Short mmCIF file of all heavy atoms in Angstrom, two decimals:
data_model
loop_
_atom_site.label_atom_id
_atom_site.label_comp_id
_atom_site.label_asym_id
_atom_site.label_seq_id
_atom_site.Cartn_x
_atom_site.Cartn_y
_atom_site.Cartn_z
N ALA A 1 -2.01 -5.48 18.63
CA ALA A 1 -3.29 -5.97 18.15
C ALA A 1 -3.43 -5.62 16.66
O ALA A 1 -2.60 -4.93 16.09
CB ALA A 1 -4.41 -5.33 18.93
N GLU A 2 -4.51 -6.10 16.07
CA GLU A 2 -4.76 -5.78 14.65
C GLU A 2 -4.78 -4.28 14.44
O GLU A 2 -5.43 -3.54 15.21
CB GLU A 2 -6.15 -6.30 14.23
CG GLU A 2 -6.13 -7.71 13.73
CD GLU A 2 -7.57 -8.14 13.35
OE1 GLU A 2 -8.08 -7.57 12.39
OE2 GLU A 2 -8.13 -9.00 14.07
N PRO A 3 -4.09 -3.77 13.43
CA PRO A 3 -4.08 -2.32 13.19
C PRO A 3 -5.50 -1.85 12.85
O PRO A 3 -6.19 -2.51 12.07
CB PRO A 3 -3.12 -2.14 12.06
CG PRO A 3 -2.85 -3.49 11.49
CD PRO A 3 -3.20 -4.52 12.49
N PRO A 4 -5.94 -0.74 13.46
CA PRO A 4 -7.32 -0.29 13.29
C PRO A 4 -7.52 0.53 12.02
O PRO A 4 -7.68 1.72 12.06
CB PRO A 4 -7.51 0.58 14.55
CG PRO A 4 -6.13 1.12 14.84
CD PRO A 4 -5.16 0.06 14.41
N PHE A 5 -7.56 -0.14 10.87
CA PHE A 5 -7.75 0.56 9.63
C PHE A 5 -9.23 0.93 9.42
O PHE A 5 -10.14 0.21 9.85
CB PHE A 5 -7.28 -0.34 8.45
CG PHE A 5 -5.81 -0.28 8.22
CD1 PHE A 5 -4.95 -1.02 8.99
CD2 PHE A 5 -5.30 0.50 7.22
CE1 PHE A 5 -3.57 -0.98 8.80
CE2 PHE A 5 -3.92 0.56 7.00
CZ PHE A 5 -3.07 -0.17 7.78
N ASP A 6 -9.43 2.02 8.73
CA ASP A 6 -10.78 2.51 8.41
C ASP A 6 -10.77 2.71 6.89
O ASP A 6 -10.53 3.84 6.41
CB ASP A 6 -11.01 3.83 9.15
CG ASP A 6 -12.45 4.30 8.99
OD1 ASP A 6 -13.30 3.51 8.58
OD2 ASP A 6 -12.70 5.50 9.26
N PRO A 7 -11.00 1.64 6.10
CA PRO A 7 -10.78 1.74 4.68
C PRO A 7 -11.78 2.59 3.94
O PRO A 7 -12.86 2.87 4.45
CB PRO A 7 -10.85 0.27 4.24
CG PRO A 7 -11.74 -0.34 5.24
CD PRO A 7 -11.48 0.32 6.54
N VAL A 8 -11.42 2.95 2.73
CA VAL A 8 -12.36 3.61 1.83
C VAL A 8 -13.54 2.66 1.60
O VAL A 8 -13.32 1.47 1.39
CB VAL A 8 -11.68 3.93 0.47
CG1 VAL A 8 -12.67 4.46 -0.55
CG2 VAL A 8 -10.54 4.95 0.68
N PRO A 9 -14.78 3.15 1.70
CA PRO A 9 -15.94 2.26 1.47
C PRO A 9 -15.83 1.49 0.16
O PRO A 9 -15.38 2.05 -0.85
CB PRO A 9 -17.12 3.24 1.46
CG PRO A 9 -16.69 4.40 2.29
CD PRO A 9 -15.20 4.52 2.04
N GLY A 10 -16.14 0.21 0.22
CA GLY A 10 -16.09 -0.57 -0.98
C GLY A 10 -14.76 -1.26 -1.18
O GLY A 10 -14.59 -2.04 -2.15
N THR A 11 -13.73 -1.01 -0.31
CA THR A 11 -12.44 -1.65 -0.45
C THR A 11 -12.23 -2.58 0.78
O THR A 11 -12.89 -2.40 1.81
CB THR A 11 -11.29 -0.65 -0.53
OG1 THR A 11 -11.21 0.08 0.71
CG2 THR A 11 -11.48 0.34 -1.67
N SER A 12 -11.32 -3.55 0.64
CA SER A 12 -11.04 -4.43 1.74
C SER A 12 -10.32 -3.67 2.84
O SER A 12 -9.70 -2.63 2.59
CB SER A 12 -10.23 -5.64 1.28
OG SER A 12 -8.94 -5.24 0.87
N THR A 13 -10.35 -4.25 4.05
CA THR A 13 -9.84 -3.53 5.24
C THR A 13 -8.44 -3.04 5.04
O THR A 13 -8.10 -1.91 5.41
CB THR A 13 -9.95 -4.46 6.46
OG1 THR A 13 -11.32 -4.85 6.62
CG2 THR A 13 -9.49 -3.72 7.73
N TYR A 14 -7.57 -3.89 4.49
CA TYR A 14 -6.16 -3.54 4.42
C TYR A 14 -5.72 -3.18 3.03
O TYR A 14 -4.53 -3.30 2.67
CB TYR A 14 -5.32 -4.70 4.98
CG TYR A 14 -5.69 -5.02 6.40
CD1 TYR A 14 -6.33 -6.21 6.75
CD2 TYR A 14 -5.44 -4.11 7.46
CE1 TYR A 14 -6.72 -6.47 8.05
CE2 TYR A 14 -5.82 -4.36 8.74
CZ TYR A 14 -6.47 -5.56 9.05
OH TYR A 14 -6.85 -5.81 10.33
N SER A 15 -6.63 -2.65 2.24
CA SER A 15 -6.32 -2.34 0.84
C SER A 15 -5.15 -1.36 0.72
O SER A 15 -4.35 -1.47 -0.24
CB SER A 15 -7.56 -1.78 0.12
OG SER A 15 -8.07 -0.67 0.82
N PHE A 16 -4.98 -0.48 1.66
CA PHE A 16 -3.87 0.47 1.62
C PHE A 16 -2.52 -0.27 1.72
O PHE A 16 -1.57 0.11 1.04
CB PHE A 16 -3.94 1.52 2.73
CG PHE A 16 -2.66 2.27 2.94
CD1 PHE A 16 -2.15 3.10 1.93
CD2 PHE A 16 -1.91 2.15 4.11
CE1 PHE A 16 -0.95 3.77 2.09
CE2 PHE A 16 -0.73 2.84 4.29
CZ PHE A 16 -0.24 3.65 3.25
N LEU A 17 -2.44 -1.32 2.55
CA LEU A 17 -1.17 -2.04 2.67
C LEU A 17 -0.79 -2.68 1.36
O LEU A 17 0.33 -2.63 0.91
CB LEU A 17 -1.28 -3.11 3.76
CG LEU A 17 -1.52 -2.61 5.19
CD1 LEU A 17 -1.63 -3.79 6.15
CD2 LEU A 17 -0.39 -1.68 5.63
N TRP A 18 -1.77 -3.37 0.71
CA TRP A 18 -1.49 -4.01 -0.54
C TRP A 18 -1.15 -2.97 -1.60
O TRP A 18 -0.27 -3.16 -2.44
CB TRP A 18 -2.65 -4.87 -1.01
CG TRP A 18 -3.36 -5.62 0.08
CD1 TRP A 18 -4.71 -5.67 0.30
CD2 TRP A 18 -2.80 -6.45 1.13
NE1 TRP A 18 -5.02 -6.44 1.35
CE2 TRP A 18 -3.87 -6.91 1.89
CE3 TRP A 18 -1.49 -6.81 1.47
CZ2 TRP A 18 -3.67 -7.77 3.00
CZ3 TRP A 18 -1.30 -7.65 2.58
CH2 TRP A 18 -2.38 -8.10 3.33
N ARG A 19 -1.83 -1.82 -1.52
CA ARG A 19 -1.57 -0.78 -2.48
C ARG A 19 -0.14 -0.26 -2.35
O ARG A 19 0.48 0.13 -3.38
CB ARG A 19 -2.58 0.39 -2.28
CG ARG A 19 -2.30 1.53 -3.21
CD ARG A 19 -3.38 2.54 -3.40
NE ARG A 19 -2.89 3.58 -4.31
CZ ARG A 19 -3.58 4.63 -4.62
NH1 ARG A 19 -4.79 4.85 -4.11
NH2 ARG A 19 -3.08 5.54 -5.47
N PHE A 20 0.37 -0.18 -1.16
CA PHE A 20 1.78 0.27 -0.98
C PHE A 20 2.69 -0.59 -1.86
O PHE A 20 3.56 -0.09 -2.54
CB PHE A 20 2.20 0.18 0.47
CG PHE A 20 3.67 0.54 0.70
CD1 PHE A 20 4.04 1.87 0.84
CD2 PHE A 20 4.65 -0.43 0.69
CE1 PHE A 20 5.37 2.23 1.01
CE2 PHE A 20 6.00 -0.08 0.83
CZ PHE A 20 6.35 1.23 1.00
N ALA A 21 2.49 -1.91 -1.78
CA ALA A 21 3.32 -2.80 -2.62
C ALA A 21 3.10 -2.54 -4.10
O ALA A 21 4.06 -2.49 -4.90
CB ALA A 21 3.00 -4.26 -2.27
N LEU A 22 1.87 -2.33 -4.49
CA LEU A 22 1.52 -2.16 -5.93
C LEU A 22 1.97 -0.79 -6.44
O LEU A 22 2.06 -0.62 -7.66
CB LEU A 22 0.01 -2.35 -6.13
CG LEU A 22 -0.57 -3.66 -5.62
CD1 LEU A 22 -2.06 -3.72 -5.92
CD2 LEU A 22 0.14 -4.89 -6.18
N ASP A 23 2.24 0.13 -5.56
CA ASP A 23 2.67 1.48 -5.98
C ASP A 23 4.21 1.62 -6.03
O ASP A 23 4.71 2.71 -6.31
CB ASP A 23 2.10 2.53 -5.01
CG ASP A 23 0.64 2.82 -5.22
OD1 ASP A 23 0.09 2.46 -6.28
OD2 ASP A 23 0.01 3.47 -4.37
N HIS A 24 4.94 0.57 -5.73
CA HIS A 24 6.40 0.68 -5.67
C HIS A 24 7.09 -0.39 -6.50
O HIS A 24 7.60 -1.40 -5.94
CB HIS A 24 6.87 0.66 -4.19
CG HIS A 24 6.47 1.89 -3.45
ND1 HIS A 24 5.28 2.01 -2.79
CD2 HIS A 24 7.11 3.07 -3.33
CE1 HIS A 24 5.21 3.26 -2.25
NE2 HIS A 24 6.31 3.91 -2.56
N PRO A 25 7.16 -0.18 -7.80
CA PRO A 25 7.86 -1.13 -8.67
C PRO A 25 9.36 -1.15 -8.39
O PRO A 25 9.93 -0.17 -7.86
CB PRO A 25 7.56 -0.64 -10.09
CG PRO A 25 7.20 0.79 -9.93
CD PRO A 25 6.59 0.94 -8.59
N PHE A 26 10.00 -2.25 -8.79
CA PHE A 26 11.45 -2.44 -8.53
C PHE A 26 12.29 -1.33 -9.13
O PHE A 26 13.31 -0.95 -8.60
CB PHE A 26 11.85 -3.80 -9.15
CG PHE A 26 13.27 -4.17 -8.86
CD1 PHE A 26 13.60 -4.93 -7.75
CD2 PHE A 26 14.30 -3.78 -9.71
CE1 PHE A 26 14.92 -5.28 -7.48
CE2 PHE A 26 15.62 -4.14 -9.47
CZ PHE A 26 15.94 -4.88 -8.34
N TRP A 27 11.83 -0.80 -10.27
CA TRP A 27 12.70 0.10 -11.05
C TRP A 27 12.66 1.55 -10.58
O TRP A 27 13.32 2.41 -11.19
CB TRP A 27 12.34 0.02 -12.54
CG TRP A 27 10.88 0.00 -12.86
CD1 TRP A 27 10.10 -1.06 -13.11
CD2 TRP A 27 10.03 1.13 -12.98
NE1 TRP A 27 8.79 -0.70 -13.38
CE2 TRP A 27 8.73 0.65 -13.31
CE3 TRP A 27 10.21 2.52 -12.85
CZ2 TRP A 27 7.62 1.50 -13.49
CZ3 TRP A 27 9.12 3.35 -13.02
CH2 TRP A 27 7.86 2.82 -13.36
N LEU A 28 11.95 1.87 -9.51
CA LEU A 28 12.05 3.23 -8.99
C LEU A 28 13.51 3.52 -8.60
O LEU A 28 14.27 2.62 -8.22
CB LEU A 28 11.20 3.36 -7.71
CG LEU A 28 9.68 3.37 -7.87
CD1 LEU A 28 9.00 3.29 -6.52
CD2 LEU A 28 9.20 4.61 -8.66
N ARG A 29 13.89 4.76 -8.75
CA ARG A 29 15.26 5.12 -8.38
C ARG A 29 15.45 5.02 -6.89
O ARG A 29 14.49 5.11 -6.11
CB ARG A 29 15.60 6.52 -8.88
CG ARG A 29 15.60 6.56 -10.42
CD ARG A 29 16.16 7.89 -10.90
NE ARG A 29 16.25 7.84 -12.37
CZ ARG A 29 16.84 8.79 -13.09
NH1 ARG A 29 17.41 9.81 -12.47
NH2 ARG A 29 16.87 8.71 -14.40
N ASP A 30 16.69 4.90 -6.45
CA ASP A 30 17.01 4.74 -5.04
C ASP A 30 16.39 5.83 -4.21
O ASP A 30 16.57 7.04 -4.49
CB ASP A 30 18.52 4.74 -4.81
CG ASP A 30 19.18 3.49 -5.39
OD1 ASP A 30 18.48 2.58 -5.79
OD2 ASP A 30 20.45 3.45 -5.36
N GLY A 31 15.65 5.44 -3.18
CA GLY A 31 15.06 6.40 -2.24
C GLY A 31 13.83 7.09 -2.75
O GLY A 31 13.31 8.00 -2.11
N GLU A 32 13.32 6.67 -3.94
CA GLU A 32 12.21 7.38 -4.56
C GLU A 32 10.90 6.70 -4.32
O GLU A 32 10.84 5.47 -4.19
CB GLU A 32 12.49 7.39 -6.09
CG GLU A 32 12.26 8.74 -6.73
CD GLU A 32 12.76 8.72 -8.17
OE1 GLU A 32 12.54 7.77 -8.92
OE2 GLU A 32 13.40 9.71 -8.54
#
């Protein structure tokens, strides 16, 4: 079922998921 996220007030439900992508640029070193 839909994952039961409880987001920070004022952010969209799945803001953490999108943030994961935005926090991991291509140029990070391997495994970092």
Side-chain angles (χ1 to χ4, degrees):
E2 271 179 69
F5 278 80
D6 186 16
V8 173
T11 65
S12 68
T13 302
Y14 301 111
S15 55
F16 166 64
L17 296 179
W18 322 131
R19 177 164 179 184
F20 177 85
L22 305 181
D23 283 346
H24 290 89
F26 184 91
W27 45 262
L28 289 172
R29 293 190 176 188
D30 290 353
E32 225 170 43

